Amino acid sequence: MKEHGIKILYGILAVGIIVSIFHIFNDKNGSGLGNVIDTFTITSIVLFLSTIVFILISFKKNIRKISVWFLLILSCPLAIMSMTHLTKEYSLKKTETTTPNEFVYNVKVDQKTYELDKIKTQKLVDSLIKVKTVRRPAELALRYFNGKTYNDTIERDWAIDLPEKVEYKESIIDTLFYSENGNEIVAGLLISKVFNEYQDYPKGGIEYFGKGFRFDKNDLKPIKMLKYSVTGYDNYKSCSERLRYYYLKKIGTYENEQNMNDTRFLNRK
């Protein structure tokens, strides 16, 4: 590396730029920008660390080279930010939850009841994502008129806040959270298995995406989706792990927000 060090360093920079240009011209479904950012991040880290090593190998010879300092200064900001972020993310992944101990959800529900509730909620989700008019389950939306009881009907976009331009294959309730007495479902994590034409484009493929939700069986809209979601996974396990990471760890680090396993969140009206 002593003889060709500068060439190697500039080669790293050149490769990063070329790969970024490739991503820009092969953008699929808006993924190009994200890929460019990822490429620049990786390039900055590799370039920064390589430049440090290059300087240390021959300190007296290289420390005064303007080209070396140019590469070091160019890569330093993004590299430091990225490595700091990665360190925090790694630490967060090793943490069970960021919810303070005094607010950690600890409601115990019978396993059989829990599994039946998951199935029931999955069926409800499936009924609500059907195209056009949706017939609500009788126990959730009965209407009484002229001596008779009717099921209510509502339009798809009022039924549940999930994307419409994908083909739903399966709804999976990953986790449920209950009220303090354990009698009512109040929140949960939902993973949808869909066919997405942009997955493995142009053939299309199966994608898993996950969202958190609040649940109120007496509400006109019983399942209300929360704003944070994870997308783009090709298997359930990876999607589940990332979804739980966000809703049980990450969100709790945001200002004025709580994780889903935080009783302050679950008891909020």
Side-chain angles (χ1 to χ4, degrees):
M1 187 170 180
K2 287 183 180 181
E3 297 179 3
H4 304 287
I6 290 294
K7 293 181 180 179
I8 293 174
L9 295 177
Y10 275 98
I12 293 172
L13 179 60
V15 169
I17 293 173
I18 292 171
V19 173
S20 297
I21 293 173
F22 173 81
H23 285 312
I24 291 172
F25 285 101
N26 289 273
D27 183 13
K28 295 177 182 178
N29 194 29
S31 63
L33 179 59
N35 291 331
V36 169
I37 293 173
D38 290 342
T39 300
F40 273 129
T41 299
I42 295 171
T43 301
S44 295
I45 294 174
V46 174
L47 183 58
F48 177 74
L49 295 177
S50 299
T51 305
I52 293 293
V53 171
F54 178 66
I55 292 173
L56 293 177
I57 287 176
S58 184
F59 184 80
K60 291 183 179 180
K61 181 180 179 181
N62 297 323
I63 194 64
R64 296 182 180 181
K65 290 183 177 180
I66 296 176
S67 56
V68 174
W69 280 102
F70 169 74
L71 293 174
L72 190 64
I73 294 171
L74 180 67
S75 61
C76 180
L78 184 55
I80 295 298
M81 288 174 57
S82 300
M83 288 189 289
T84 301
H85 174 72
L86 290 173
T87 301
K88 289 181 179 179
E89 289 292 295
Y90 178 78
S91 176
L92 200 57
K93 286 181 179 180
K94 294 298 181 181
T95 303
E96 185 174 347
T97 183
T98 56
T99 301
N101 291 333
E102 63 269 29
F103 298 116
V104 172
Y105 170 86
N106 60 1
V107 176
K108 304 297 181 183
V109 178
D110 176 72
Q111 187 63 31
K112 184 177 180 180
T113 300
Y114 182 77
E115 294 300 327
L116 288 174
D117 282 345
K118 286 176 67 174
I119 294 172
K120 182 179 178 181
T121 308
Q122 285 169 184
K123 289 181 178 179
L124 172 59
V125 172
D126 287 338
S127 76
L128 295 177
I129 62 177
K130 289 179 181 177
V131 181
K132 297 182 180 178
T133 303
V134 182
R135 183 169 294 280
R136 297 282 296 281
E139 69 270 23
L140 296 182
L142 290 176
R143 292 290 182 269
Y144 183 81
F145 177 73
N146 197 25
K148 294 184 179 181
T149 301
Y150 299 89
N151 284 327
D152 192 15
T153 58
I154 52 179
E155 295 302 311
R156 164 67 170 83
D157 56 350
W158 283 94
I160 191 167
D161 299 321
L162 286 174
E164 295 185 36
K165 295 182 179 180
V166 289
E167 181 184 345
Y168 285 85
K169 297 294 186 181
E170 185 179 5
S171 299
I172 307 166
I173 297 298
D174 183 85
T175 311
L176 289 175
F177 292 89
Y178 290 77
S179 57
E180 290 182 289
N181 58 18
N183 293 332
E184 303 290 342
I185 301 168
V186 294
L189 300 176
L190 168 69
I191 293 177
S192 298
K193 178 183 178 182
V194 303
F195 177 83
N196 188 338
E197 62 178 308
Y198 294 106
Q199 190 83 351
D200 194 20
Y201 188 83
K203 296 184 296 182
I206 295 297
E207 176 191 2
Y208 291 81
F209 70 86
K211 295 178 74 72
F213 65 88
R214 282 188 173 278
F215 186 87
D216 182 354
K217 70 176 184 180
N218 298 315
D219 198 290
L220 179 63
K221 193 172 186 176
I223 298 177
K224 294 182 179 178
M225 292 297 163
L226 302 174
K227 62 181 178 180
Y228 297 108
S229 62
V230 298
T231 62
Y233 293 90
D234 61 5
N235 64 84
Y236 169 80
K237 183 180 178 181
S238 297
C239 185
S240 173
E241 289 176 350
R242 194 62 177 172
L243 187 62
R244 293 184 182 197
Y245 164 78
Y246 261 91
Y247 276 92
L248 304 183
K249 301 178 183 181
K250 185 70 173 179
I251 295 174
T253 65
Y254 299 155
E255 187 175 358
N256 299 323
E257 295 201 49
Q258 292 94 34
N259 294 317
M260 187 170 282
N261 65 343
D262 191 316
T263 54
R264 292 171 296 179
F265 168 82
L266 295 171
N267 296 332
R268 191 188 307 156
K269 301 298 182 181

